[in-house]
Amino acid sequence: MSAVKMDGKALSDKVRGSILAETEALKQRGITPGLAVIIVGNDPASEIYVRNKEKACAACGFYSEKYALPAETTQDELLGLIAQLNESPRISGILCQMPVPAHISAQAVIDAIDPRKDVDAFHPVNVGKIMVGDFDFVPCTPAGVMELLAAYQIDPAGKECVVIGRSNIVGKPMAMLLLHKHGTVTLCHSRTQGLDEVCRRADILIAAVGKAGFVTPDMVKDGAVVIDVGINRNAAGKVCGDVDPAVMEKASYMTPVPGGAGPMTITMLMKNTLKAAKLQNGL
Ligand code: GUN
């Protein structure tokens, strides 16, 4: 049996439609959500992500500003721009695309963004709020995964949820969101012993490793839900996930790459930006 493909593109279009409708209503009240996107240097993948974020803003009716800064930008210059954007009434959300060049501290950048405008939910204040389960902004990739699970009526409560990858952006917040939904969560990483065996326990397996084809069919329980967060390029330059497509034959539900978790991520950024605009206006 082949898994049901979880259509992140269709769900993303649907959510963007409802964000646009809410934005139109807000605009009637004189409120326009605004997102500032900063990119430092010219990493090709980051440039694509930033372009897609601008397109998504347009699709949702948002105001947006893009700051493409040269790789030589100093940390002080970048922090100066963030300080200005923190004060700008047109800007509800600020995002600095990661990674930043090595001479800039990513943590200093994250710390400089006003937590009320931190639509990535990377600031320690927002990370702490996620930990305690009382949060306004949800990190975009894990939020997209949770929306996909909900849309397909997959409830993590009581299930064995295995997350592979412990990054601050995906793995750690993913584990917390599943835990808040009452999953039994195991967070695996490069030093996990017996990884294959741990993965085989999973009812819900989430791969956020960054290695093409890392999860193979022998690591997956029959009927498991498999969510592939990876965006990699194989030797032929083709975009592929962390999960070997042959896993489709073992899983009950699975996200394709592209078209699964990816489109949801940017849509969740839009959702956070809308929320930021509302909160900043007392709504
Ligand atoms: N780089 C890779 N993913 C992300 C993300 O979600 N936000 C930002 N700011 N940079 C990233």
Side-chain angles (χ1 to χ4, degrees), residues 2 37 129 135 146 180 195 247:
S2 190
V37 180
K129 282 170 170 263
F135 44 87
M146 297 309 285
H180 293 322
L195 177 71
V247 170

Side-chain angles (χ1 to χ4, degrees), residues 61-75:
F62 293 179
Y63 168 73
S64 69
E65 292 178 5
K66 177 185 167 186
Y67 296 87
L69 307 180
E72 310 75 54
T73 303
T74 66
Q75 180 166 309

Side-chain angles (χ1 to χ4, degrees), residues 37-38 46 49 53 94-99 110 113 119-120 122 139-142 169-170 265 269:
V37 180
I38 308 168
S46 292
Y49 296 142
K53 287 168 186 177
I94 304 168
L95 174 147
C96 180
Q97 188 65 31
M98 300 293 167
I110 290 166
I113 295 174
V119 284
D120 264 326
F122 290 171
C140 302
T141 303
I169 293 183
V170 184
T265 297
L269 174 69

Side-chain angles (χ1 to χ4, degrees), residues 140-258:
C140 302
T141 303
V145 173
M146 297 309 285
E147 288 246 355
L148 268 169
L149 291 175
Y152 285 85
Q153 274 133 33
I154 298 159
D155 181 3
K159 306 241 170 70
E160 291 279 351
C161 305
V162 175
V163 180
I164 322 172
R166 57 173 156 180
S167 69
N168 287 337
I169 293 183
V170 184
K172 283 186 209 167
M174 186 77 254
M176 291 313 303
L177 296 188
L178 288 163
L179 186 60
H180 293 322
K181 291 289 178 192
H182 316 292
T184 302
V185 182
T186 306
L187 185 48
C188 301
H189 47 81
S190 52
R191 301 209 193 166
T192 298
Q193 291 185 9
L195 177 71
D196 292 19
E197 206 172 309
V198 178
C199 290
R200 275 194 293 274
R201 289 207 304 258
D203 301 308
I204 300 175
L205 180 62
I206 302 196
V209 195
K211 288 187 185 152
F214 183 84
V215 176
T216 48
D218 59 300
M219 294 164 73
V220 177
K221 180 163 88 175
D222 268 327
V225 173
V226 180
I227 307 283
D228 189 350
V229 170
I231 302 178
N232 314 294
R233 282 188 193 272
N234 66 11
K238 186 170 164 278
V239 172
C240 57
D242 290 346
V243 179
D244 180 341
V247 170
M248 281 295 291
E249 298 310 314
K250 282 195 105 172
S252 56
Y253 291 83
M254 184 163 145
T255 55
V257 176

